[in-house]
Amino acid sequence: MNAPNEQVAKMKIRPAVEADLAAFFAYLDDHLRDNGANGTPLFQPLSRDQPRMPAGLRLAFIKGLHLAVGQPGWRRLWLALGPTGNIAGHIDLRARPESAAAHRAMLGMGVQRLYRRRGLGVQLVGTAVDWARQEAGIDWIDLEVLADNRPAVALYLRAEFRMIARIEDMVRVDGASYDLCYMTLPLG
């Protein structure tokens, strides 16, 4: 059963704290079960047989939340909470890996299956963009999205991200080739 738009509009989106991480990691593991399954587009370049978040990514979240924006590896995470306090979606901004690109942030997000296509993604993107516009030193938000994930590409285009590149055959997952889109949003 899908959540009505009215319920999504009333959801609380708040910054995550360390105490949220265990529930967040469980949510991400559940989220990954949908990766390319049952008509859902592949949204992570991970094999469908990998239903858990990689350990290195867990560690990046744990360490990154404690770092100041501008430091290598910093990360900020927001959670959308459903009516019972369940995690309905998330969005994160993080440092780019290139030290000369400290003025740019990378975006990642996901929405739990019951809340997709109800407007929650728009709210999550708005939350992260609003925060970044207030944060000194962040001038751009970048993201990478698999081109076959048309709902995500459409969401980012509606949020005024620009497609700056589409690289053919960038990743191969489970024997299939996927194009990767690079998108960006200037904050100034």
Side-chain angles (χ1 to χ4, degrees):
M1 180 175 164
N2 289 329
N5 293 341
E6 179 181 309
Q7 185 180 22
V8 168
K10 294 179 181 177
M11 277 190 188
K12 178 179 181 175
I13 299 174
R14 65 165 177 79
V17 295
E18 189 170 353
D20 295 319
L21 291 178
F24 173 66
F25 295 150
Y27 149 85
L28 278 182
D29 286 343
D30 178 58
H31 186 62
L32 280 175
R33 288 186 193 102
D34 290 343
N35 191 34
N38 303 319
T40 300
L42 195 72
F43 49 79
Q44 285 291 323
L46 299 171
S47 171
R48 290 163 183 85
D49 297 331
Q50 183 176 344
R52 294 196 54 155
M53 189 170 92
L57 186 53
R58 290 175 194 261
L59 189 57
F61 271 100
I62 293 167
K63 288 182 174 182
L65 289 180
H66 296 288
L67 297 173
V69 174
Q71 288 188 306
W74 71 265
R75 187 178 293 256
R76 295 299 176 269
L77 170 66
W78 294 265
L79 303 175
L81 302 178
T84 62
N86 58 309
I87 298 174
H90 80 282
I91 193 158
D92 70 279
L93 291 174
R94 62 191 180 276
R96 289 202 53 98
E98 307 89 351
S99 60
H103 62 292
R104 304 181 82 100
M106 288 290 295
L107 181 143
M109 71 171 288
V111 175
Q112 200 270 347
R113 67 187 68 81
L114 296 177
Y115 300 96
R116 291 183 191 138
R117 299 180 190 224
R118 302 281 181 255
L120 183 55
V122 171
Q123 290 179 32
L124 286 163
V125 170
T127 297
V129 169
D130 289 347
W131 177 87
R133 283 193 167 121
Q134 301 301 314
E135 190 65 36
I138 300 177
D139 299 324
W140 298 83
I141 298 176
D142 303 324
L143 64 89
E144 300 172 358
V145 60
L146 292 167
D148 287 358
N149 189 349
R150 289 184 183 94
V153 171
L155 165 69
Y156 298 131
L157 289 171
R158 280 192 314 274
E160 300 183 359
F161 280 80
R162 294 186 310 226
M163 179 90 60
I164 55 172
R166 178 175 174 151
I167 301 178
E168 293 181 35
D169 191 26
M170 181 64 179
V171 297
R172 294 183 181 173
V173 178
D174 298 333
S177 168
Y178 293 90
D179 297 356
L180 192 65
C181 297
Y182 290 87
M183 301 179 82
T184 193
L185 177 71
L187 297 176

